[in-house]
């Protein structure tokens, strides 16, 4: 007699990685020829960007696509990254589910994909060809070349044709694989769109795309500033999963519970640790971590969740930052106005995350609304409708902020581009394909908060613009039309011309402040013109908000610079009489082009209603 | 000084005085909308009420209107001094030389001329401005004496001395241009469309019914309305209006009978209060089972607007307009051809005109 379980066991075979791959193609991003080609490029580019970022190198990445036959393409990706040491090549390219970032807590692109090794396997399974790798790790070293295939039974790399090459560039990696694929350019979910989007949120990267038909597209870098480097952090006590906590308790080197808490978690000092174990969980702080029973672990877990601790350190996250986000969007999209917001890091389930967004008004008015979503600086091109970002946009009443929206719900009318970036040590996706972010309440709130911040800036801008337009119209009246009316009337009646000063003041009745900004030789030249169109003389104090990092190299007349929570230059403007004017000039250095495009001016000691072109000083903050 | 120039000069003087006193210049012009027309008992027509709009240099649009007003007055003065005249369209093109104060459309310049008419209580002809020929025509046994361009006068019988297209109405029909020298007809029928005008002419309705046919060419020009009024008063002929059955055609009738909103300042001079509407009425659409089109959104809006128009505030029009909104249909005059080419002249018009007491049954 035999048991059914024994029969079943006989039928169970060891599943090879090849079978695993075939069964999970859709999850891995190889469900169609178009998607497969896309995935191979995406994995390669994400790897290159991560490697460059870790090594503080400004990325130069070239992607070449060559059509070999009706359904086969050669994909070549080369970068100037730090290269890969010979010993690791096998595991990076030739072993599935191997990744250096798998266990670390920090933001990186790599966590999101399935790894370049799946692409190597796909190449092998679809065309039977090995992937060619060449890599150089530094000046004075030769480049190492080999061909990689995967032993699908054992999930092990097979390296052949090893050779040393001479390379001119100091370091970098080059991969070349031949795969079954299809290239479509005109599509929202295309390689082209992916690279363009990538270049928006990575404005420090230069990306070149050589298409099969000989067309070269260069996504030029807009800044030489590297993104903030990320630092690994320990888990945050809020919301750590019980399973992970058990593993940590088992494997810790700490002898006492209190030191375990202090050593293995971030944001826990001895005082907090004592509160967690003694006052809340009623545990002995000297207990051995690996000896806690289930009830004790549960109560420790509860206590970790509920004790007040500060947010996790943000060094593990790498925001794009407001300045670079602005530059990135502007270099790829023709915007009329752009508002950006980069939020402070927050936590969900013990994972730090932060949200950044931008809303861009386009110059072309016939364009609709576009949503660009990013997770850890990687574009999300699929499943837009399932994503928390889309849901957040749809739930805001945009009519309040001056955008058209049917019924105050749904995606608002264009021409607008929404860009949202969620950065986290662990981005919560809705599924394995990692294309849509899950509706976690804390994240949705932050996305909404960030969008509202942009929307308010946009609204302020629109109001300012309207006010400016009105002022310009009035200037047109007093400078051009009124004198003509007066002149024609005088001539028609053969009577003398009259003085129009008082009427001009009555029509305008404001002090107009205008600024002109130009950039040359790494210096911003700013000229502020003030004209008093009110009926009486006016004096007041003028403030100009300047970027924190800027240096004031020249001022005429001399004002005073204050550098507190914000950096300001201020001038006491002496009395300007009716229809009189004066000018102020200053120069700023230590800024890149695009860092300072509009002077933000504030005034004090005068009714803000009487001023056009500056806000009340109280609004500085 | 010429009185026209004097009257226009008053407007310039007003602006000059305001500037001199340090005031933001402005002029007041009667509001031209249906909310500002009142029935005038003396003339039995609708004229403007007391409501005024202000054109002030405080706003950009207002400032431009003031500048254009002064420029236009200057231009008129020049024409009068040099004994020239121009068409409204020429006046619009001449403004291109005024650079920033040029008119952006002829509508804009026409409106300004109307403003000046209202402010000075004069007619545009006195400003040496005339409309382009719109070529509406007359067929019927009426004889006019027209002063022609060669200097003399010519007697024209509008039935015997003209071709099938009829006598063309000149832009000015005042008695220094046209006088009536005889008539043998019982009434005047003013027709909206060229197709129906030609149908009546071909069927010799003028002879059979002893009618004077006047083609309106859509919304009739001032001279066409003026001619209708003169024939009505001087030849003692009743006037009936025959149009399509839609809200736009009702407006054609109201501009003839009650006065148009745009020209309400000279309604007593253009309108024929005794003019009657013969059709096509919404009731006709139902009674004669005419081929129809559905009303579009603009038609419906126009009908609703007419319900709040004081000129249509009587039982007949309220009933007809509500009926049309109800059936949601409109019909053209030429839809009568459903029953044959003779139907309009042999059945429909005789029946309807008898109903109005114009023809005997």
């Amino acid at each position: 007699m035999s048991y059914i379980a024994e029969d079943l066991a006989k039928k169970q075979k060891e599943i090879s990685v090849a079978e695993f791959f075939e069964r999970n193609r859709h999850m891995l991003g190889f469900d169609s020829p178009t998607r497969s080609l896309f995935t191979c490029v995406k994995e390669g580019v994400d790897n290159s960007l991560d490697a460059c970022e870790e090594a503080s190198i400004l990325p130069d990445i070239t992607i070449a696509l060559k059509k070999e036959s009706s359904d086969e393409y050669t994909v070549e990706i080369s970068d100037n990254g730090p290269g890969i040491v010979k010993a690791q090549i096998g595991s990076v390219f030739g072993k599935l589910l191997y990744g250096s970032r798998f266990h670390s807590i920090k933001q990186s692109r790599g966590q999101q994909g399935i790894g370049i090794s799946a692409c190597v396997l796909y190449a092998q399974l679809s065309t039977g060809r090995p992937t060619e790798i060449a890599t150089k790790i530094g000046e004075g070293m030769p480049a190492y070349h080999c061909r990689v295939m995967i032993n699908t039974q054992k999930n092990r790399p097979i390296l052949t044709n090893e050779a040393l090459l001479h390379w001119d560039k100091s370091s970098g990696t080059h991969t070349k694989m031949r795969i079954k694929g299809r290239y479509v350019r005109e599509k929202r979910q295309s390689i082209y769109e992916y690279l363009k989007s990538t270049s928006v949120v990575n404005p420090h990267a230069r990306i070149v795309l050589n298409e099969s038909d000989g067309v070269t597209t260069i996504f030029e870098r807009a800044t030489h500033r590297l993104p903030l480097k990320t630092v690994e952090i320990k888990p945050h006590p809020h919301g750590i999963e019980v399973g992970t906590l058990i593993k940590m308790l088992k494997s810790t080197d700490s002898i006492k519970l209190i030191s375990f808490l202090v050593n293995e978690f971030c944001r826990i000092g001895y005082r907090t640790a004592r509160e967690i174990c003694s006052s809340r969980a009623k545990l002995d702080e000297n207990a051995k971590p690996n000896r806690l029973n289930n009830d004790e672990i549960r109560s420790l877990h509860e206590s970790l969740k509920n004790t007040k601790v500060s947010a996790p350190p943000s060094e593990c996250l790498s925001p794009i930052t407001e300045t670079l986000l602005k530059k990135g969007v502007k270099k790829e999209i023709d915007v009329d106005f752009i508002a950006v917001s980069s939020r402070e890091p927050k936590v969900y389930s013990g994972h730090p995350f932060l949200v950044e967004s931008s809303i861009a008004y386009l110059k072309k008015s016939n364009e609709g609304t576009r949503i660009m979503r990013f997770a850890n600086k990687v574009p999300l091109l699929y499943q837009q409708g399932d994503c928390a970002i889309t849901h957040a946009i749809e739930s805001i009443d945009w009519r309040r902020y001056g955008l058209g929206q049917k019924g105050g719900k749904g995606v608002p009318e264009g021409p607008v581009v929404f860009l949202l970036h969620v950065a986290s040590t662990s981005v919560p996706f809705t599924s394995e394909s990692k294309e849509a972010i899950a509706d976690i309440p804390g994240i949705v709130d932050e996305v909404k908060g960030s969008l509202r911040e942009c929307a308010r800036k946009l609204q302020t801008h629109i109001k300012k613009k309207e006010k400016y337009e009105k002022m310009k119209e009035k200037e047109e009246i007093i400078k051009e039309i009124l004198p003509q009316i007066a002149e024609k009337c005088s001539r028609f009646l053969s009577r003398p011309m009259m003085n129009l000063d008082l009427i001009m003041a009555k029509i305008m009745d404001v002090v107009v402040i205008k600024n002109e900004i130009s950039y040359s030789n790494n210096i911003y030249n700013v000229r502020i013109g003030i004209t008093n169109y009110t009926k009486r003389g006016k004096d007041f104090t003028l403030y100009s908000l300047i970027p924190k990092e800027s240096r004031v190299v020249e001022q005429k007349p001399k004002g005073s610079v204050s550098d507190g929570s914000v950096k300001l230059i201020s001038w006491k403007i002496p009395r300007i009489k009716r229809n009189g004017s004066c000018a102020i000039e200053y120069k700023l250095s230590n800024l890149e082009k695009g860092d300072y495009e509009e002077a933000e001016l504030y005034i004090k000691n005068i009714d803000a209603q009487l001023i056009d072109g500056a806000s009340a000083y109280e609004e500085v903050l | 000084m010429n009185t026209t120039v004097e009257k226009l000069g008053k407007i310039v003087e007003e602006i000059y005085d305001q500037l001199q006193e340090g005031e933001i210049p402005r002029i007041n012009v009667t509001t031209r909308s249906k909310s500002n027309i009142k029935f005038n008992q003396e003339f039995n027509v609708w004229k403007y009420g007391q409501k005024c709009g202000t054109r002030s240099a405080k706003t950009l649009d207002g400032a431009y209107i003031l500048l254009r007003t002064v420029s236009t007055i200057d231009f008129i003065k020049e024409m009068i001094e040099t004994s020239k005249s121009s068409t409204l369209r020429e006046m619009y093109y001449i403004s291109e030389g005024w650079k920033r104060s040029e008119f952006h459309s002829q509508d804009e310049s026409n409106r300004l001329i109307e403003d000046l008419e209202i402010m000075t209580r004069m007619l545009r002809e006195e400003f040496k401005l005339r409309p382009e020929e719109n070529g509406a025509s007359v067929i019927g046994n009426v004889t006019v004496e027209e002063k022609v361009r060669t200097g003399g006068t010519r007697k024209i019988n509008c039935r015997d001395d003209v071709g099938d297209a009829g006598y063309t109405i000149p832009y000015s029909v005042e008695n220094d241009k046209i006088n009536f020298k005889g008539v043998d007809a019982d009434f005047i029928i003013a027709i909206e469309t060229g197709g129906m005008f030609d149908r009546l002419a071909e069927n010799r309705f003028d002879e059979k019914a002893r009618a004077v046919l006047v083609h309106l060419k859509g919304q009739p020009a001032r001279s066409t309305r003026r001619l209708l009024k003169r024939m009505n008063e001087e030849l003692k002929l009743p006037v009936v209006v025959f149009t399509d059955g839609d809200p736009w055609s009702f407006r054609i009738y109201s501009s003839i009978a009650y006065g148009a909103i745009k020209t309400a300042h000279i309604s007593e001079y253009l309108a024929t209060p005794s003019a009657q509407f013969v059709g096509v009425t919404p009731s006709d659409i139902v009674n004669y089972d005419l081929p129809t089109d559905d009303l579009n959104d603009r038609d419906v809006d126009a009908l609703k607007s007419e319900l709040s128009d004081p000129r249509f505030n009587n039982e007949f029009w309220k009933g007809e307009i509500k009926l049309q909104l109800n059936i949601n249909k409109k019909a053209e005059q030429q839809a009568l051809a459903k029953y044959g080419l003779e139907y309009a002249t042999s059945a429909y018009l005789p029946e309807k005109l008898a109903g109005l007491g114009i023809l005997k049954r």
Side-chain angles (χ1 to χ4, degrees):
Chain A
M1 173 189 164
S2 67
Y3 294 97
I4 296 168
E6 284 176 340
D7 283 347
L8 287 175
K10 276 178 202 158
K11 286 181 193 159
Q12 272 175 350
K13 290 184 289 186
E14 202 180 318
I15 298 174
S16 75
V17 290
E19 272 179 78
F20 171 78
F21 182 88
E22 283 301 338
R23 286 183 190 179
N24 296 292
R25 283 181 83 122
H26 58 286
M27 256 166 52
L28 302 172
F30 295 92
D31 45 358
S32 71
T34 315
R35 182 95 193 259
S36 300
L37 183 60
F38 173 81
T39 300
C40 289
V41 171
K42 174 178 146 70
E43 288 303 327
V45 171
D46 288 354
N47 272 2
S48 291
L49 286 171
D50 264 344
C52 287
E53 205 159 305
E54 268 171 53
S56 299
I57 293 170
L58 282 172
D60 263 309
I61 302 170
T62 303
I63 299 101
L65 304 172
K66 192 161 169 258
K67 191 170 187 169
E68 300 289 356
S69 71
S70 63
D71 63 345
E72 282 186 22
Y73 274 86
T74 299
V75 181
E76 281 186 79
I77 298 170
S78 50
D79 66 42
N80 62 338
I84 301 164
V85 292
K86 190 179 158 186
Q88 283 213 307
I89 289 178
S91 20
V92 171
F93 292 97
K95 204 170 170 180
L96 247 58
L97 302 173
Y98 174 91
S100 57
R101 301 169 201 98
F102 205 63
H103 304 289
S104 72
I105 296 188
K106 73 182 215 178
Q107 171 194 337
S108 69
R109 296 171 184 81
Q111 281 176 336
Q112 239 173 285
I114 33 84
I116 191 81
S117 53
C119 304
V120 173
L121 180 60
Y122 174 70
Q124 181 178 325
L125 294 174
S126 64
T127 67
R129 291 176 192 255
T131 297
E132 303 212 21
I133 314 289
T135 178
K136 179 172 168 178
I137 58 170
E139 212 72 72
M141 299 285 287
Y144 167 80
H145 168 271
C146 67
R147 289 184 176 168
V148 184
M149 289 196 94
I150 298 174
N151 176 335
T152 56
Q153 285 305 316
K154 294 183 173 156
N155 189 16
R156 265 193 211 138
I158 309 162
L159 306 188
T160 57
N161 297 62
E162 293 180 74
L164 293 179
L165 305 170
H166 174 73
W167 265 15
D168 282 339
K169 62 177 172 185
S170 57
S171 72
T173 301
H174 179 103
T175 57
K176 181 178 176 184
M177 51 180 69
R178 183 160 168 172
I179 58 164
K180 273 214 156 63
R182 211 158 66 89
Y183 185 64
V184 186
R185 189 182 177 175
E186 286 79 20
K187 208 177 152 211
R188 266 285 139 86
Q189 294 118 349
S190 65
I191 290 170
Y192 181 86
E193 279 302 321
Y194 163 77
L195 292 176
K196 186 172 171 154
S197 302
T198 299
S199 131
V200 167
V201 294
N202 296 282
H204 65 295
R206 182 178 193 271
I207 303 173
V208 179
L209 170 66
N210 289 315
E211 284 164 290
S212 200
D213 56 5
V215 176
T216 298
T217 310
I218 301 172
F219 301 99
E220 200 51 78
R221 70 169 54 87
T223 180
H224 286 78
R225 250 177 247 153
L226 281 163
L228 295 169
K229 245 184 127 173
T230 54
V231 177
E232 277 185 37
I233 60 155
K234 291 169 191 161
H236 190 266
H238 281 174
I240 185 151
E241 282 166 35
V242 187
T244 319
L245 181 62
I246 294 170
K247 266 189 222 157
M248 286 168 71
L249 286 164
K250 289 263 149 64
S251 60
T252 181
D253 295 332
S254 303
I255 297 160
K256 294 176 182 174
L257 183 57
I258 189 162
S259 46
F260 163 78
L261 292 174
V262 173
N263 292 337
E264 304 292 336
F265 287 91
C266 67
R267 295 303 196 223
I268 297 184
Y270 278 96
R271 211 172 55 84
T272 316
R274 209 155 278 144
E275 190 192 330
I276 292 169
C277 34
S278 329
S279 20
R280 281 182 179 270
K282 309 284 179 223
L283 292 172
D284 178 7
E285 61 176 65
N286 293 322
K288 283 196 172 158
N290 54 7
R291 290 280 173 79
L292 296 186
N293 66 31
N294 279 351
D295 286 344
E296 288 168 331
I297 292 173
R298 205 165 298 130
S299 116
L300 176 65
H301 183 241
E302 264 317 286
S303 165
L304 277 170
K305 250 179 157 177
N306 297 324
T307 307
K308 255 199 174 173
V309 290
S310 44
S314 50
E315 308 96 82
C316 62
L317 298 178
S318 173
I320 305 163
T321 73
E322 290 192 359
T323 324
L324 292 189
L325 190 54
K326 226 181 228 182
K327 281 189 185 178
V329 173
K330 277 188 175 172
K331 90 187 168 81
E332 295 301 331
I333 299 170
D334 204 8
V335 304
D336 184 42
F337 177 74
I338 175 170
V340 293
S341 138
S342 183
R343 305 275 286 182
E344 289 299 311
K346 290 270 157 59
V347 189
Y348 85 91
S349 305
H351 306 292
F353 74 96
L354 65 81
V355 174
E356 296 176 291
S357 69
S358 93
I359 302 179
Y361 258 129
L362 303 187
K363 282 191 180 139
K364 281 194 211 147
S365 59
N366 55 351
E367 218 120 307
T369 300
R370 246 182 89 186
I371 301 172
M372 295 173 83
R373 300 171 295 129
F374 297 88
N376 289 349
K377 299 183 188 173
V378 175
L380 307 179
L381 300 183
Y382 291 85
Q383 299 177 12
Q384 178 169 303
D386 300 335
C387 187
I389 288 170
T390 314
H391 300 159
I393 291 172
E394 288 170 343
S395 70
I396 293 176
D397 188 347
W398 290 100
R399 298 172 304 183
R400 282 183 51 199
Y401 303 105
L403 285 183
Q405 188 186 30
K406 286 202 182 95
K409 262 185 182 167
V411 177
E413 288 154 28
V416 180
V417 174
F418 289 100
L419 186 153
L420 266 300
H421 176 222
V422 176
S424 176
T425 50
S426 166
V427 178
F429 290 105
T430 52
S431 72
E432 282 308 311
S433 60
K434 299 182 175 175
E435 287 290 351
I437 297 172
D439 285 294
I440 308 271
I443 294 182
V444 174
D445 288 349
E446 273 302 293
V447 171
K448 281 192 194 171
S450 186
L451 282 169
R452 289 209 174 95
E453 220 177 271
C454 286
R456 277 192 294 273
K457 287 178 190 172
L458 210 58
Q459 209 180 13
T460 313
H461 167 81
I462 292 167
K463 273 193 191 146
K464 253 193 198 168
K465 210 172 151 183
E466 280 170 358
K467 210 174 160 192
Y468 179 75
E469 292 297 324
K470 229 182 197 162
M471 187 266 290
K472 254 179 58 187
E473 283 190 356
K474 290 200 163 175
E475 265 194 335
E476 191 179 338
I477 295 175
I478 62 157
K479 283 185 176 162
E480 313 218 6
I481 309 174
L482 197 65
Q484 279 192 59
I485 295 173
E487 194 261 341
K488 286 208 159 153
C489 287
S490 310
R491 203 154 39 86
F492 188 95
L493 302 165
S494 306
R495 290 192 199 165
M497 187 68 182
M498 67 298 277
N499 183 309
L500 297 171
D501 277 6
L502 184 61
I503 300 176
M504 287 183 176
K506 275 185 182 172
I507 289 174
M508 298 290 285
D509 207 21
V510 286
V511 176
V512 173
I513 305 181
K514 287 186 188 175
N515 64 80
E516 282 166 45
I517 295 182
S518 62
Y519 186 76
S520 62
N521 302 323
N522 302 317
I523 298 277
Y524 266 106
N525 301 288
V526 186
R527 186 180 188 281
I528 300 172
I530 308 171
T531 310
N532 177 11
Y533 287 117
T534 66
K535 282 166 243 169
R536 278 172 212 92
K538 290 279 177 305
D539 56 278
F540 52 92
T541 313
L542 180 74
Y543 297 85
S544 180
L545 184 71
I546 55 175
K548 264 298 208 187
E549 67 272 23
S550 66
R551 269 198 297 275
V552 184
V553 287
E554 210 180 295
Q555 306 165 59
K556 207 168 61 174
K558 186 137 179 52
S560 51
V561 180
S562 66
D563 195 355
S565 57
V566 291
K567 201 167 182 176
L568 292 164
I569 320 178
S570 65
W571 296 270
K572 274 203 110 55
I573 309 292
R575 198 165 192 80
I576 309 172
K577 62 178 200 296
R578 184 170 86 197
N579 281 331
S581 52
C582 76
I584 289 169
E585 284 173 46
Y586 61 90
K587 293 184 200 292
L588 300 178
S589 70
N590 201 34
L591 291 173
E592 277 190 358
K593 189 169 166 53
D595 283 353
Y596 187 63
E597 296 194 312
E598 199 181 350
E600 268 188 61
L601 302 172
Y602 299 90
I603 36 96
K604 208 171 167 176
N605 304 326
I606 189 168
D607 181 2
Q609 294 292 322
L610 291 173
I611 306 281
D612 247 13
S615 318
Y617 178 73
E618 291 67 37
E619 288 175 33
V620 169
L621 311 164
Chain B
M1 207 201 264
N2 180 302
T3 51
T4 311
V5 176
E6 209 172 292
K7 278 188 172 175
L8 289 169
K10 284 246 160 56
I11 300 170
V12 181
E13 219 173 310
E14 199 186 325
I15 298 172
Y16 182 92
D17 290 345
Q18 289 171 349
L19 288 167
Q20 184 75 29
E21 282 158 31
E23 273 173 37
I24 300 170
R26 51 188 240 159
I27 47 176
N28 293 326
V29 186
T30 304
T31 306
R32 275 169 278 156
S33 72
K34 72 180 178 197
S35 67
N36 191 35
I37 50 171
K38 298 212 152 43
F39 190 71
N40 184 302
Q41 302 283 351
E42 187 186 341
F43 299 106
N44 281 332
V45 294
W46 292 83
K47 291 185 63 71
Y48 292 127
Q50 299 299 312
K51 274 192 208 162
C52 267
T54 302
R55 320 267 196 264
S56 162
K58 216 172 193 167
T59 67
L60 191 62
D61 289 347
Y64 271 121
I65 289 175
L66 285 182
L67 179 53
R68 284 181 199 130
T69 304
V70 180
S71 302
T72 305
I73 291 173
D74 202 35
F75 169 71
I76 293 168
K77 180 188 174 200
E78 204 184 299
M79 281 200 297
I80 290 171
E81 282 170 356
T82 56
S83 305
K84 289 255 162 59
S85 70
S86 80
T87 64
L88 289 168
R89 187 140 193 91
E90 281 171 328
M91 146 100 209
Y92 161 63
Y93 282 124
I94 279 163
S95 84
E96 291 214 344
W98 304 348
K99 284 173 194 141
R100 307 198 61 167
S101 61
E102 69 184 300
F103 293 109
H104 299 106
S105 67
Q106 199 187 329
D107 257 7
E108 220 171 65
S109 63
N110 289 358
R111 262 201 304 278
L112 184 73
I113 300 301
E114 283 160 17
D115 278 352
L116 293 179
E117 284 187 318
I118 294 168
M119 284 189 279
T120 57
R121 295 175 188 282
M122 298 182 90
L123 288 178
R124 61 188 180 197
E125 284 75 14
E126 295 171 87
F127 302 154
K128 303 290 167 197
L129 289 164
R130 57 188 146 83
E132 296 77 61
E133 196 48 71
N134 120 315
S137 39
V138 180
I139 289 183
N141 192 2
V142 54
T143 306
V144 296
E145 185 182 66
E146 183 177 335
K147 192 176 167 196
V148 292
R149 66 190 184 288
T150 46
T153 57
R154 189 176 297 161
K155 271 191 186 172
I156 303 166
N157 181 282
C158 297
R159 185 185 68 194
D160 303 334
D161 302 339
V162 297
D164 288 348
Y167 166 72
T168 304
I169 303 169
Y171 71 84
S172 170
V173 293
E174 292 315 307
N175 48 22
D176 58 347
K177 173 78 179 168
I178 277 184
N179 280 296
F180 302 113
K181 291 293 173 193
V183 63
D184 186 21
D186 293 337
F187 69 100
I188 300 166
I189 180 163
I191 302 141
E192 177 181 357
T193 64
M196 187 49 76
F197 177 78
D198 289 343
R199 166 65 36 232
L200 265 57
E202 191 180 300
N203 293 1
R204 304 180 76 165
F205 189 69
D206 56 322
E207 293 166 56
K208 287 177 190 159
R210 294 177 49 79
V212 177
L213 316 180
V214 176
H215 178 202
L216 297 172
K217 262 201 154 181
Q219 181 69 45
R222 281 189 189 187
S223 60
T224 309
R225 282 181 278 157
R226 177 65 180 154
L227 186 73
L228 283 171
K229 183 178 179 67
R230 280 194 66 193
M231 289 201 287
N232 173 250
E233 283 186 347
E234 294 172 33
L235 304 176
K236 308 272 185 266
L237 294 179
V239 174
V240 296
V241 180
F242 181 27
T243 67
D244 286 340
D246 64 41
W248 317 100
S249 302
F250 304 160
R251 289 176 186 193
I252 290 176
Y253 165 74
S254 77
S255 78
I256 292 171
Y258 308 139
I261 291 176
K262 255 165 75 98
T263 54
H265 56 301
I266 44 175
S267 283
E268 72 273 26
Y269 171 86
L270 295 176
T272 309
S274 64
Q276 288 178 282
F277 188 64
V278 63
V280 174
T281 62
S283 302
D284 291 343
I285 295 176
V286 178
N287 296 340
Y288 290 86
D289 189 21
L290 296 176
T292 56
D293 284 319
D294 287 346
L295 296 179
N296 60 36
D297 292 349
R298 283 181 58 241
D299 294 331
V300 171
D301 288 347
L303 284 169
K304 285 182 178 159
S305 161
E306 283 163 10
L307 279 177
S308 64
D309 187 326
R311 297 174 301 166
F312 289 101
N313 190 15
N314 57 51
E315 229 160 87
F316 169 76
W317 279 117
K318 282 210 182 294
E320 290 295 339
I321 291 166
K322 282 178 186 162
L323 174 65
Q324 182 145 46
L325 283 167
N326 239 332
I327 60 175
N328 197 40
K329 301 281 184 205
K330 59 182 175 184
E332 291 183 6
Q333 306 185 284
Q334 296 179 62
L336 290 163
K338 174 187 178 187
Y339 301 109
L341 297 176
E342 296 285 334
Y343 189 76
T345 51
S346 63
Y348 176 78
L349 282 174
E351 272 173 43
K352 295 283 294 186
L353 289 168
L356 294 177
I358 300 286
L359 287 184
K360 291 193 181 76
R361 277 182 208 270

